[in-house]
């Protein structure tokens, strides 16, 4: 079980990105209380607890249902008490942008800002490519940019968790028929540039076994900061 004093002891806000997002810049949409917070289920499944105390897990349990499970990013593995059950446990690399890769020489269509009317196309692309959790309201969390070709959305990337000094990049995906054209790198550059322009640092999470994506992010100016644990939790039926 992760250290019950971890929130108090950690000097780096990226060790607890969900908690620090939902108690600062994204507090207005947070659901929960002082022990546990989560994003609304139609935005993202992510949640965080203040420590590993019974009170915190009890508060977290109230945010979990059969149709609204939660997922935690933590430095140490999470071992929840009953009735919470682990539905998925994997490691993920937390990567931070050290620079913005120059893709100006690449012949790619200009990324465009995606809007509410683009949500059906975004959901369709996510369903096809499986980049990670993406709900009908995820696009409300920040700027999402896309590339269109042949009259359809074929690639996108955008912003998700926002905490003081940092913004997470998420939903980096490309339609299988359009891969290898540099679209993902161009979008990463564009989204990262916008984040840097606000005086913030881009970061992202990628499963540790997704070697191709990790290499893409390295080429795009990101470096691994820390290995994190992603734990999805549900309740007994």
């Amino acid at each position: 079980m992760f250290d019950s004093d971890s929130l108090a002891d950690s000097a780096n806000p990226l060790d607890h990105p969900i908690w620090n997002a939902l108690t600062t810049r994204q507090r207005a949409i947070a659901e929960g209380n002082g022990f546990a917070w989560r994003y609304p289920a139609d935005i993202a499944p992510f949640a965080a607890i203040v420590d590993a105390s019974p009170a915190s897990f009890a508060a977290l349990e109230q945010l979990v249902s059969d149709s609204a499970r939660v997922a935690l990013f933590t430095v140490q593995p999470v071992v929840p008490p009953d009735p919470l059950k682990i539905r998925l446990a994997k490691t993920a690399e937390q990567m931070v942008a050290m620079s913005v890769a120059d893709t100006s020489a690449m012949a790619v269509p200009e990324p465009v800002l995606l809007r509410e009317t683009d949500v059906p196309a975004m959901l369709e692309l996510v369903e096809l490519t499986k980049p990670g959790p993406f709900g009908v309201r995820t696009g409300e969390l920040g700027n999402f940019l896309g590339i269109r070709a042949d009259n359809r959305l074929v690639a996108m990337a955008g912003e998700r968790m926002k905490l003081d000094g940092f913004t997470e990049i998420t939903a980096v995906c490309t339609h299988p028929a359009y891969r290898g054209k540099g679209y993902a790198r161009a979008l990463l550059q564009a989204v990262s540039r916008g984040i840097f322009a606000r005086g913030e640092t881009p970061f992202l999470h990628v499963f540790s076994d997704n070697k191709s994506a990790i290499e893409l992010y390295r080429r795009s100016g990101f470096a691994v900061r820390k290995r994190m644990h992603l734990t999805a939790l549900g309740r007994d039926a």
Side-chain angles (χ1 to χ4, degrees):
M1 188 177 293
F2 67 90
D3 184 357
S4 61
D5 296 323
S6 55
L7 282 173
D9 293 344
S10 176
N12 195 314
L14 290 182
D15 283 350
H16 304 280
I18 301 169
W19 180 273
N20 287 319
L22 291 176
T23 57
T24 59
R25 295 171 62 195
Q26 294 175 323
R27 182 183 301 175
I29 61 172
E31 298 178 350
N33 56 48
F35 291 99
W37 297 104
R38 71 159 295 157
Y39 288 92
D42 55 357
I43 291 181
F46 298 112
I49 52 179
V50 67
D51 56 27
S53 67
S56 291
F57 278 111
L60 182 65
E61 183 194 343
Q62 300 306 307
L63 305 178
V64 180
S65 68
D66 291 340
S67 60
R69 296 174 181 175
V70 297
L72 287 69
F73 272 118
T74 56
V75 174
Q76 300 295 331
V78 171
V79 181
D82 290 334
L84 293 173
K85 299 295 183 182
I86 295 175
R87 304 306 186 199
L88 176 70
K90 295 188 67 172
T91 62
E93 307 305 306
Q94 186 182 82
M95 303 184 73
V96 177
M98 310 304 291
S99 62
V100 178
D102 183 7
T103 58
S104 59
M106 300 175 64
V108 301
E110 185 71 20
V112 298
L113 182 65
L114 300 177
R115 303 185 183 280
E116 186 176 355
T117 54
D118 295 303
V119 169
M122 296 164 75
L123 292 171
E124 183 179 349
L125 184 60
V126 165
E127 179 63 26
L128 178 66
T129 59
K130 310 295 186 185
F134 191 93
V136 295
R137 294 179 56 207
T138 302
E140 298 177 14
L141 295 179
N143 293 327
F144 278 78
L145 302 181
I147 289 177
R148 293 192 177 96
D150 302 322
N151 297 315
R152 61 177 169 177
L153 181 68
V154 299
M156 73 173 187
E159 302 171 350
R160 187 169 60 189
M161 298 178 203
K162 294 186 175 184
L163 48 153
D164 290 343
F166 300 91
T167 290
E168 182 199 31
I169 295 178
T170 187
V172 182
C173 56
T174 304
H175 190 289
Y178 294 85
R179 290 173 182 165
K181 299 178 181 294
Y183 292 177
R185 289 190 67 192
L187 287 166
L188 278 167
Q189 180 195 43
V191 177
S192 295
R193 184 180 292 113
I195 295 169
F196 276 126
R198 300 196 300 261
E200 304 164 12
T201 299
F203 72 105
L204 55 80
H205 296 96
V206 55
F207 282 130
S208 302
D209 58 5
N210 193 344
K211 303 303 182 184
S212 60
I214 292 172
E215 181 56 31
L216 167 66
Y217 299 143
R218 288 187 189 277
R219 296 197 309 270
S220 301
F222 287 77
V224 173
R225 173 188 171 266
K226 180 172 286 190
R227 177 162 289 184
M228 306 287 284
H229 292 266
L230 173 69
T231 311
L233 301 175
R235 281 197 294 196
D236 283 336

